[in-house]
PDB file of all heavy atoms in Angstrom:
ATOM      1  N   ASP A   1       0.918  -3.294 -32.794  1.00 98.00           N
ATOM      2  CA  ASP A   1       0.607  -2.543 -33.957  1.00 98.00           C
ATOM      3  C   ASP A   1       1.597  -2.765 -35.119  1.00 98.00           C
ATOM      4  O   ASP A   1       1.165  -2.812 -36.290  1.00 98.00           O
ATOM      5  CB  ASP A   1       0.667  -1.044 -33.604  1.00 98.00           C
ATOM      6  CG  ASP A   1      -0.469  -0.602 -32.710  1.00 98.00           C
ATOM      7  OD1 ASP A   1      -1.434  -1.377 -32.549  1.00 98.00           O
ATOM      8  OD2 ASP A   1      -0.431   0.531 -32.065  1.00 98.00           O
ATOM      9  N   GLU A   2       2.915  -3.005 -34.782  1.00 98.00           N
ATOM     10  CA  GLU A   2       3.871  -3.111 -35.809  1.00 98.00           C
ATOM     11  C   GLU A   2       3.998  -4.627 -36.399  1.00 98.00           C
ATOM     12  O   GLU A   2       4.215  -4.838 -37.569  1.00 98.00           O
ATOM     13  CB  GLU A   2       5.171  -2.622 -35.362  1.00 98.00           C
ATOM     14  CG  GLU A   2       5.330  -1.145 -35.121  1.00 98.00           C
ATOM     15  CD  GLU A   2       6.676  -0.694 -34.797  1.00 98.00           C
ATOM     16  OE1 GLU A   2       7.671  -1.564 -34.958  1.00 98.00           O
ATOM     17  OE2 GLU A   2       6.841   0.421 -34.417  1.00 98.00           O
ATOM     18  N   LYS A   3       3.900  -5.636 -35.465  1.00 98.00           N
ATOM     19  CA  LYS A   3       4.101  -7.024 -35.894  1.00 98.00           C
ATOM     20  C   LYS A   3       2.953  -7.948 -35.570  1.00 98.00           C
ATOM     21  O   LYS A   3       2.925  -9.035 -36.140  1.00 98.00           O
ATOM     22  CB  LYS A   3       5.381  -7.597 -35.192  1.00 98.00           C
ATOM     23  CG  LYS A   3       6.689  -6.831 -35.691  1.00 98.00           C
ATOM     24  CD  LYS A   3       6.998  -7.053 -37.121  1.00 98.00           C
ATOM     25  CE  LYS A   3       8.267  -6.411 -37.555  1.00 98.00           C
ATOM     26  NZ  LYS A   3       8.586  -6.592 -38.997  1.00 98.00           N
ATOM     27  N   GLY A   4       2.183  -7.580 -34.544  1.00 98.00           N
ATOM     28  CA  GLY A   4       1.016  -8.423 -34.318  1.00 98.00           C
ATOM     29  C   GLY A   4       1.161  -9.639 -33.507  1.00 98.00           C
ATOM     30  O   GLY A   4       0.203 -10.212 -33.012  1.00 98.00           O
ATOM     31  N   ARG A   5       2.455 -10.016 -33.196  1.00 98.00           N
ATOM     32  CA  ARG A   5       2.650 -11.146 -32.359  1.00 98.00           C
ATOM     33  C   ARG A   5       4.099 -11.085 -31.843  1.00 98.00           C
ATOM     34  O   ARG A   5       4.888 -10.251 -32.262  1.00 98.00           O
ATOM     35  CB  ARG A   5       2.500 -12.492 -33.146  1.00 98.00           C
ATOM     36  CG  ARG A   5       3.620 -12.741 -34.058  1.00 98.00           C
ATOM     37  CD  ARG A   5       3.486 -14.144 -34.764  1.00 98.00           C
ATOM     38  NE  ARG A   5       4.731 -14.545 -35.240  1.00 98.00           N
ATOM     39  CZ  ARG A   5       5.345 -14.224 -36.442  1.00 98.00           C
ATOM     40  NH1 ARG A   5       4.641 -13.330 -37.159  1.00 98.00           N
ATOM     41  NH2 ARG A   5       6.409 -14.736 -36.820  1.00 98.00           N
ATOM     42  N   LEU A   6       4.443 -12.043 -30.863  1.00 98.00           N
ATOM     43  CA  LEU A   6       5.743 -12.250 -30.358  1.00 98.00           C
ATOM     44  C   LEU A   6       5.938 -13.765 -30.244  1.00 98.00           C
ATOM     45  O   LEU A   6       5.010 -14.449 -29.757  1.00 98.00           O
ATOM     46  CB  LEU A   6       5.972 -11.635 -28.975  1.00 98.00           C
ATOM     47  CG  LEU A   6       6.331 -10.194 -28.816  1.00 98.00           C
ATOM     48  CD1 LEU A   6       6.325  -9.788 -27.366  1.00 98.00           C
ATOM     49  CD2 LEU A   6       7.816  -9.921 -29.426  1.00 98.00           C
ATOM     50  N   ASP A   7       7.021 -14.227 -30.797  1.00 98.00           N
ATOM     51  CA  ASP A   7       7.334 -15.695 -30.614  1.00 98.00           C
ATOM     52  C   ASP A   7       8.303 -16.011 -29.433  1.00 98.00           C
ATOM     53  O   ASP A   7       8.325 -17.079 -28.892  1.00 98.00           O
ATOM     54  CB  ASP A   7       7.994 -16.171 -31.866  1.00 98.00           C
ATOM     55  CG  ASP A   7       7.126 -15.914 -33.166  1.00 98.00           C
ATOM     56  OD1 ASP A   7       6.072 -16.512 -33.123  1.00 98.00           O
ATOM     57  OD2 ASP A   7       7.518 -15.070 -33.976  1.00 98.00           O
ATOM     58  N   ILE A   8       9.133 -14.982 -29.141  1.00 99.00           N
ATOM     59  CA  ILE A   8      10.165 -15.150 -28.081  1.00 99.00           C
ATOM     60  C   ILE A   8      10.098 -13.929 -27.186  1.00 99.00           C
ATOM     61  O   ILE A   8      10.187 -12.820 -27.660  1.00 99.00           O
ATOM     62  CB  ILE A   8      11.589 -15.204 -28.719  1.00 99.00           C
ATOM     63  CG1 ILE A   8      11.598 -16.397 -29.724  1.00 99.00           C
ATOM     64  CG2 ILE A   8      12.641 -15.409 -27.686  1.00 99.00           C
ATOM     65  CD1 ILE A   8      12.695 -16.271 -30.759  1.00 99.00           C
ATOM     66  N   VAL A   9      10.122 -14.134 -25.859  1.00 99.00           N
ATOM     67  CA  VAL A   9      10.368 -13.117 -24.855  1.00 99.00           C
ATOM     68  C   VAL A   9      11.599 -13.391 -23.991  1.00 99.00           C
ATOM     69  O   VAL A   9      11.675 -14.491 -23.397  1.00 99.00           O
ATOM     70  CB  VAL A   9       9.063 -12.901 -23.981  1.00 99.00           C
ATOM     71  CG1 VAL A   9       9.356 -11.935 -22.856  1.00 99.00           C
ATOM     72  CG2 VAL A   9       7.829 -12.473 -24.845  1.00 99.00           C
ATOM     73  N   VAL A  10      12.470 -12.481 -24.024  1.00 98.00           N
ATOM     74  CA  VAL A  10      13.672 -12.646 -23.058  1.00 98.00           C
ATOM     75  C   VAL A  10      13.579 -11.570 -22.057  1.00 98.00           C
ATOM     76  O   VAL A  10      13.751 -10.278 -22.356  1.00 98.00           O
ATOM     77  CB  VAL A  10      15.049 -12.508 -23.889  1.00 98.00           C
ATOM     78  CG1 VAL A  10      16.201 -12.736 -22.966  1.00 98.00           C
ATOM     79  CG2 VAL A  10      15.030 -13.557 -25.062  1.00 98.00           C
ATOM     80  N   ALA A  11      13.183 -11.859 -20.817  1.00 98.00           N
ATOM     81  CA  ALA A  11      13.030 -10.935 -19.725  1.00 98.00           C
ATOM     82  C   ALA A  11      14.437 -10.832 -19.107  1.00 98.00           C
ATOM     83  O   ALA A  11      14.770 -11.494 -18.133  1.00 98.00           O
ATOM     84  CB  ALA A  11      12.009 -11.410 -18.740  1.00 98.00           C
ATOM     85  N   ASN A  12      15.192  -9.983 -19.609  1.00 98.00           N
ATOM     86  CA  ASN A  12      16.597  -9.764 -19.220  1.00 98.00           C
ATOM     87  C   ASN A  12      16.863  -8.578 -18.370  1.00 98.00           C
ATOM     88  O   ASN A  12      17.828  -8.500 -17.605  1.00 98.00           O
ATOM     89  CB  ASN A  12      17.492  -9.624 -20.525  1.00 98.00           C
ATOM     90  CG  ASN A  12      18.926  -9.176 -20.247  1.00 98.00           C
ATOM     91  OD1 ASN A  12      19.621  -9.877 -19.803  1.00 98.00           O
ATOM     92  ND2 ASN A  12      19.125  -7.914 -20.636  1.00 98.00           N
ATOM     93  N   ALA A  13      16.022  -7.550 -18.474  1.00 98.00           N
ATOM     94  CA  ALA A  13      16.306  -6.223 -17.763  1.00 98.00           C
ATOM     95  C   ALA A  13      16.496  -6.477 -16.284  1.00 98.00           C
ATOM     96  O   ALA A  13      15.586  -7.212 -15.609  1.00 98.00           O
ATOM     97  CB  ALA A  13      15.161  -5.245 -18.032  1.00 98.00           C
ATOM     98  N   GLY A  14      17.469  -5.956 -15.700  1.00 96.00           N
ATOM     99  CA  GLY A  14      17.692  -6.107 -14.266  1.00 96.00           C
ATOM    100  C   GLY A  14      18.754  -5.265 -13.742  1.00 96.00           C
ATOM    101  O   GLY A  14      19.562  -4.718 -14.499  1.00 96.00           O
ATOM    102  N   ILE A  15      18.840  -5.037 -12.402  1.00 94.00           N
ATOM    103  CA  ILE A  15      19.920  -4.321 -11.776  1.00 94.00           C
ATOM    104  C   ILE A  15      20.442  -5.102 -10.605  1.00 94.00           C
ATOM    105  O   ILE A  15      19.826  -5.961 -10.044  1.00 94.00           O
ATOM    106  CB  ILE A  15      19.364  -2.882 -11.224  1.00 94.00           C
ATOM    107  CG1 ILE A  15      18.289  -3.117 -10.292  1.00 94.00           C
ATOM    108  CG2 ILE A  15      18.917  -2.055 -12.391  1.00 94.00           C
ATOM    109  CD1 ILE A  15      17.814  -1.838  -9.595  1.00 94.00           C
ATOM    110  N   ALA A  16      21.816  -4.776 -10.252  1.00 93.00           N
ATOM    111  CA  ALA A  16      22.477  -5.412  -9.249  1.00 93.00           C
ATOM    112  C   ALA A  16      23.192  -4.414  -8.433  1.00 93.00           C
ATOM    113  O   ALA A  16      23.875  -3.519  -8.948  1.00 93.00           O
ATOM    114  CB  ALA A  16      23.555  -6.414  -9.801  1.00 93.00           C
ATOM    115  N   ARG A  17      23.003  -4.607  -7.152  1.00 92.00           N
ATOM    116  CA  ARG A  17      23.710  -3.644  -6.162  1.00 92.00           C
ATOM    117  C   ARG A  17      24.101  -4.554  -4.872  1.00 92.00           C
ATOM    118  O   ARG A  17      23.452  -5.389  -4.657  1.00 92.00           O
ATOM    119  CB  ARG A  17      22.849  -2.547  -5.699  1.00 92.00           C
ATOM    120  CG  ARG A  17      22.371  -1.586  -6.743  1.00 92.00           C
ATOM    121  CD  ARG A  17      21.510  -0.485  -6.177  1.00 92.00           C
ATOM    122  NE  ARG A  17      20.860   0.394  -7.174  1.00 92.00           N
ATOM    123  CZ  ARG A  17      19.949   1.274  -6.903  1.00 92.00           C
ATOM    124  NH1 ARG A  17      19.509   1.481  -5.653  1.00 92.00           N
ATOM    125  NH2 ARG A  17      19.477   2.033  -7.877  1.00 92.00           N
ATOM    126  N   TYR A  18      25.301  -4.182  -4.367  1.00 90.00           N
ATOM    127  CA  TYR A  18      25.791  -4.782  -3.111  1.00 90.00           C
ATOM    128  C   TYR A  18      25.206  -4.108  -1.978  1.00 90.00           C
ATOM    129  O   TYR A  18      25.168  -2.849  -1.934  1.00 90.00           O
ATOM    130  CB  TYR A  18      27.199  -4.848  -3.131  1.00 90.00           C
ATOM    131  CG  TYR A  18      27.921  -5.792  -4.090  1.00 90.00           C
ATOM    132  CD1 TYR A  18      29.069  -5.422  -4.789  1.00 90.00           C
ATOM    133  CD2 TYR A  18      27.402  -7.044  -4.312  1.00 90.00           C
ATOM    134  CE1 TYR A  18      29.741  -6.307  -5.644  1.00 90.00           C
ATOM    135  CE2 TYR A  18      28.077  -7.920  -5.192  1.00 90.00           C
ATOM    136  CZ  TYR A  18      29.168  -7.552  -5.915  1.00 90.00           C
ATOM    137  OH  TYR A  18      29.840  -8.402  -6.782  1.00 90.00           O
ATOM    138  N   ALA A  19      24.913  -4.819  -0.919  1.00 95.00           N
ATOM    139  CA  ALA A  19      24.686  -4.264   0.404  1.00 95.00           C
ATOM    140  C   ALA A  19      24.689  -5.404   1.375  1.00 95.00           C
ATOM    141  O   ALA A  19      24.012  -6.404   1.308  1.00 95.00           O
ATOM    142  CB  ALA A  19      23.307  -3.516   0.492  1.00 95.00           C
ATOM    143  N   ALA A  20      25.627  -5.320   2.397  1.00 95.00           N
ATOM    144  CA  ALA A  20      25.680  -6.304   3.427  1.00 95.00           C
ATOM    145  C   ALA A  20      24.386  -6.261   4.381  1.00 95.00           C
ATOM    146  O   ALA A  20      23.866  -5.211   4.555  1.00 95.00           O
ATOM    147  CB  ALA A  20      26.897  -6.154   4.275  1.00 95.00           C
ATOM    148  N   LEU A  21      24.059  -7.477   4.917  1.00 97.00           N
ATOM    149  CA  LEU A  21      23.014  -7.439   5.898  1.00 97.00           C
ATOM    150  C   LEU A  21      23.377  -6.581   7.037  1.00 97.00           C
ATOM    151  O   LEU A  21      24.454  -6.660   7.552  1.00 97.00           O
ATOM    152  CB  LEU A  21      22.726  -8.917   6.356  1.00 97.00           C
ATOM    153  CG  LEU A  21      21.566  -9.111   7.355  1.00 97.00           C
ATOM    154  CD1 LEU A  21      20.308  -8.824   6.689  1.00 97.00           C
ATOM    155  CD2 LEU A  21      21.575 -10.549   7.817  1.00 97.00           C
ATOM    156  N   GLY A  22      22.447  -5.717   7.469  1.00 97.00           N
ATOM    157  CA  GLY A  22      22.730  -4.735   8.525  1.00 97.00           C
ATOM    158  C   GLY A  22      22.850  -3.302   7.884  1.00 97.00           C
ATOM    159  O   GLY A  22      22.721  -2.345   8.655  1.00 97.00           O
ATOM    160  N   THR A  23      23.029  -3.219   6.553  1.00 97.00           N
ATOM    161  CA  THR A  23      23.161  -1.864   5.887  1.00 97.00           C
ATOM    162  C   THR A  23      22.100  -1.719   4.839  1.00 97.00           C
ATOM    163  O   THR A  23      22.009  -0.631   4.185  1.00 97.00           O
ATOM    164  CB  THR A  23      24.536  -1.794   5.235  1.00 97.00           C
ATOM    165  OG1 THR A  23      24.632  -2.681   4.160  1.00 97.00           O
ATOM    166  CG2 THR A  23      25.701  -2.037   6.193  1.00 97.00           C
ATOM    167  N   ILE A  24      21.235  -2.706   4.696  1.00 98.00           N
ATOM    168  CA  ILE A  24      20.157  -2.581   3.602  1.00 98.00           C
ATOM    169  C   ILE A  24      19.154  -1.696   3.981  1.00 98.00           C
ATOM    170  O   ILE A  24      18.562  -1.690   5.155  1.00 98.00           O
ATOM    171  CB  ILE A  24      19.553  -4.014   3.425  1.00 98.00           C
ATOM    172  CG1 ILE A  24      20.668  -5.009   2.879  1.00 98.00           C
ATOM    173  CG2 ILE A  24      18.382  -3.957   2.366  1.00 98.00           C
ATOM    174  CD1 ILE A  24      20.222  -6.449   2.984  1.00 98.00           C
ATOM    175  N   ASP A  25      18.807  -0.692   3.036  1.00 98.00           N
ATOM    176  CA  ASP A  25      17.706   0.182   3.415  1.00 98.00           C
ATOM    177  C   ASP A  25      16.568  -0.055   2.355  1.00 98.00           C
ATOM    178  O   ASP A  25      16.609  -0.870   1.502  1.00 98.00           O
ATOM    179  CB  ASP A  25      18.132   1.661   3.315  1.00 98.00           C
ATOM    180  CG  ASP A  25      18.741   2.026   1.949  1.00 98.00           C
ATOM    181  OD1 ASP A  25      18.368   1.388   0.917  1.00 98.00           O
ATOM    182  OD2 ASP A  25      19.483   3.008   1.897  1.00 98.00           O
ATOM    183  N   GLU A  26      15.448   0.640   2.653  1.00 98.00           N
ATOM    184  CA  GLU A  26      14.162   0.418   1.855  1.00 98.00           C
ATOM    185  C   GLU A  26      14.308   0.687   0.366  1.00 98.00           C
ATOM    186  O   GLU A  26      13.901   0.048  -0.476  1.00 98.00           O
ATOM    187  CB  GLU A  26      13.108   1.201   2.449  1.00 98.00           C
ATOM    188  CG  GLU A  26      11.691   0.877   1.774  1.00 98.00           C
ATOM    189  CD  GLU A  26      10.600   1.618   2.458  1.00 98.00           C
ATOM    190  OE1 GLU A  26      10.826   2.616   3.216  1.00 98.00           O
ATOM    191  OE2 GLU A  26       9.410   1.176   2.286  1.00 98.00           O
ATOM    192  N   GLU A  27      15.110   1.753   0.100  1.00 98.00           N
ATOM    193  CA  GLU A  27      15.361   2.186  -1.273  1.00 98.00           C
ATOM    194  C   GLU A  27      16.087   1.110  -2.055  1.00 98.00           C
ATOM    195  O   GLU A  27      15.723   0.762  -3.159  1.00 98.00           O
ATOM    196  CB  GLU A  27      16.099   3.441  -1.356  1.00 98.00           C
ATOM    197  CG  GLU A  27      16.206   4.100  -2.778  1.00 98.00           C
ATOM    198  CD  GLU A  27      17.380   3.457  -3.571  1.00 98.00           C
ATOM    199  OE1 GLU A  27      18.371   3.016  -3.021  1.00 98.00           O
ATOM    200  OE2 GLU A  27      17.238   3.424  -4.883  1.00 98.00           O
ATOM    201  N   HIS A  28      17.103   0.438  -1.434  1.00 98.00           N
ATOM    202  CA  HIS A  28      17.918  -0.568  -2.015  1.00 98.00           C
ATOM    203  C   HIS A  28      16.996  -1.782  -2.308  1.00 98.00           C
ATOM    204  O   HIS A  28      16.944  -2.300  -3.459  1.00 98.00           O
ATOM    205  CB  HIS A  28      18.954  -1.050  -0.991  1.00 98.00           C
ATOM    206  CG  HIS A  28      19.766  -2.258  -1.485  1.00 98.00           C
ATOM    207  ND1 HIS A  28      20.971  -2.134  -2.210  1.00 98.00           N
ATOM    208  CD2 HIS A  28      19.603  -3.514  -1.191  1.00 98.00           C
ATOM    209  CE1 HIS A  28      21.472  -3.335  -2.406  1.00 98.00           C
ATOM    210  NE2 HIS A  28      20.654  -4.187  -1.868  1.00 98.00           N
ATOM    211  N   PHE A  29      16.164  -2.161  -1.341  1.00 98.00           N
ATOM    212  CA  PHE A  29      15.252  -3.270  -1.529  1.00 98.00           C
ATOM    213  C   PHE A  29      14.239  -2.986  -2.649  1.00 98.00           C
ATOM    214  O   PHE A  29      14.098  -3.809  -3.594  1.00 98.00           O
ATOM    215  CB  PHE A  29      14.483  -3.615  -0.283  1.00 98.00           C
ATOM    216  CG  PHE A  29      13.608  -4.747  -0.332  1.00 98.00           C
ATOM    217  CD1 PHE A  29      14.027  -6.026   0.049  1.00 98.00           C
ATOM    218  CD2 PHE A  29      12.265  -4.539  -0.731  1.00 98.00           C
ATOM    219  CE1 PHE A  29      13.130  -7.079  -0.002  1.00 98.00           C
ATOM    220  CE2 PHE A  29      11.425  -5.637  -0.788  1.00 98.00           C
ATOM    221  CZ  PHE A  29      11.779  -6.869  -0.463  1.00 98.00           C
ATOM    222  N   ASP A  30      13.540  -1.911  -2.631  1.00 98.00           N
ATOM    223  CA  ASP A  30      12.509  -1.551  -3.548  1.00 98.00           C
ATOM    224  C   ASP A  30      13.041  -1.523  -5.017  1.00 98.00           C
ATOM    225  O   ASP A  30      12.407  -1.940  -5.968  1.00 98.00           O
ATOM    226  CB  ASP A  30      11.774  -0.267  -3.188  1.00 98.00           C
ATOM    227  CG  ASP A  30      10.927  -0.494  -1.909  1.00 98.00           C
ATOM    228  OD1 ASP A  30      10.637  -1.622  -1.505  1.00 98.00           O
ATOM    229  OD2 ASP A  30      10.479   0.612  -1.411  1.00 98.00           O
ATOM    230  N   ALA A  31      14.218  -0.839  -5.062  1.00 97.00           N
ATOM    231  CA  ALA A  31      14.751  -0.682  -6.465  1.00 97.00           C
ATOM    232  C   ALA A  31      15.042  -1.977  -7.087  1.00 97.00           C
ATOM    233  O   ALA A  31      14.751  -2.156  -8.299  1.00 97.00           O
ATOM    234  CB  ALA A  31      15.984   0.234  -6.414  1.00 97.00           C
ATOM    235  N   ILE A  32      15.690  -2.920  -6.362  1.00 98.00           N
ATOM    236  CA  ILE A  32      16.041  -4.218  -7.019  1.00 98.00           C
ATOM    237  C   ILE A  32      14.876  -5.116  -7.197  1.00 98.00           C
ATOM    238  O   ILE A  32      14.708  -5.702  -8.290  1.00 98.00           O
ATOM    239  CB  ILE A  32      17.151  -4.875  -6.099  1.00 98.00           C
ATOM    240  CG1 ILE A  32      18.396  -3.943  -6.068  1.00 98.00           C
ATOM    241  CG2 ILE A  32      17.544  -6.204  -6.712  1.00 98.00           C
ATOM    242  CD1 ILE A  32      19.429  -4.607  -5.158  1.00 98.00           C
ATOM    243  N   PHE A  33      14.027  -5.100  -6.288  1.00 98.00           N
ATOM    244  CA  PHE A  33      12.781  -5.961  -6.471  1.00 98.00           C
ATOM    245  C   PHE A  33      11.813  -5.424  -7.518  1.00 98.00           C
ATOM    246  O   PHE A  33      11.195  -6.146  -8.288  1.00 98.00           O
ATOM    247  CB  PHE A  33      12.012  -6.184  -5.128  1.00 98.00           C
ATOM    248  CG  PHE A  33      12.379  -7.439  -4.401  1.00 98.00           C
ATOM    249  CD1 PHE A  33      13.486  -7.593  -3.597  1.00 98.00           C
ATOM    250  CD2 PHE A  33      11.567  -8.595  -4.631  1.00 98.00           C
ATOM    251  CE1 PHE A  33      13.886  -8.781  -2.943  1.00 98.00           C
ATOM    252  CE2 PHE A  33      12.003  -9.866  -4.031  1.00 98.00           C
ATOM    253  CZ  PHE A  33      13.112  -9.916  -3.108  1.00 98.00           C
TER     254      PHE A  33
END
C-alpha cells in the first residue's frame, strides 16, 4: 500500500539458544525452527 514494491529482502530475524544433545525439549526445537 505504501510503496508498491520491494527491491531487496533481508531475512534476518532469528533466535539462538544453547542446548546440549540429551537436554533438548520440544519447545526449544519448535521455537528456533
Side-chain angles (χ1 to χ4, degrees):
D1 291 345
E2 292 187 10
K3 295 294 182 180
R5 75 173 201 279
L6 274 174
D7 303 295
I8 304 158
V9 174
V10 182
N12 166 75
I15 59 174
R17 296 179 187 173
Y18 288 140
L21 186 63
T23 68
I24 298 165
D25 59 23
E26 187 175 19
E27 188 278 332
H28 175 90
F29 180 93
D30 287 346
I32 299 176
F33 263 85

